Amino acid sequence: MPKVGMGPIRKNQVINATLECISESGFERLTLESVAKKAGISKGVVSYYFKGKEDLILQSFRAFLDHYNKKVAETLSKETSALKMLEAMIDIVVFPKTTPMEPDYLESDLECQDK
């Protein structure tokens, strides 16, 4: 049983590690073991929060898209021109100012599933 309050922190660690592993090695080579190693936790912790590899990938991409949706929403308004929108998207998605190694790179708003 995890410590109280650690669920969101651990889940974000696993999600960040998953996205990094996919980026480095692709979907085919992604394993729960590789994610656990990248996150610096046990495979059991990964399995506690995610039902399996498919669930892990799905929730990781939901968090990834949520993260970028927030970044875009913070940058754009209804009055933003098409050119400014394109420039903002390039800055946010193609050349982000943060890197996956920063602890606050991805702060998922996805709720932890109770186990």
Side-chain angles (χ1 to χ4, degrees), residues 29-96:
R29 299 184 74 194
L30 181 75
T31 64
L32 298 183
E33 291 87 0
S34 66
V35 170
K37 184 176 179 182
K38 176 70 75 178
I41 57 176
S42 71
K43 180 183 170 187
V45 173
V46 177
S47 296
Y48 181 82
Y49 291 109
F50 301 93
K51 295 175 187 171
K53 182 177 172 179
E54 186 175 315
D55 182 46
L56 178 60
I57 291 170
L58 178 65
Q59 289 196 47
S60 295
F61 274 103
R62 283 182 179 162
F64 176 81
L65 293 173
D66 183 54
H67 171 76
Y68 280 104
N69 185 37
K70 286 180 184 175
K71 292 284 188 187
V72 170
E74 290 170 2
T75 305
L76 304 178
S77 70
K78 290 181 180 181
E79 295 80 30
T80 305
S81 70
L83 180 59
K84 290 293 181 189
M85 285 183 191
L86 183 57
E87 289 172 349
M89 292 300 295
I90 290 170
D91 287 344
I92 293 167
V93 178
V94 180
F95 301 109

Side-chain angles (χ1 to χ4, degrees), residues 3-19:
K3 294 179 184 175
V4 175
M6 287 299 291
I9 294 167
R10 288 282 189 233
K11 202 166 180 184
N12 285 337
Q13 284 178 306
V14 174
I15 287 172
N16 281 330
T18 300
L19 294 171

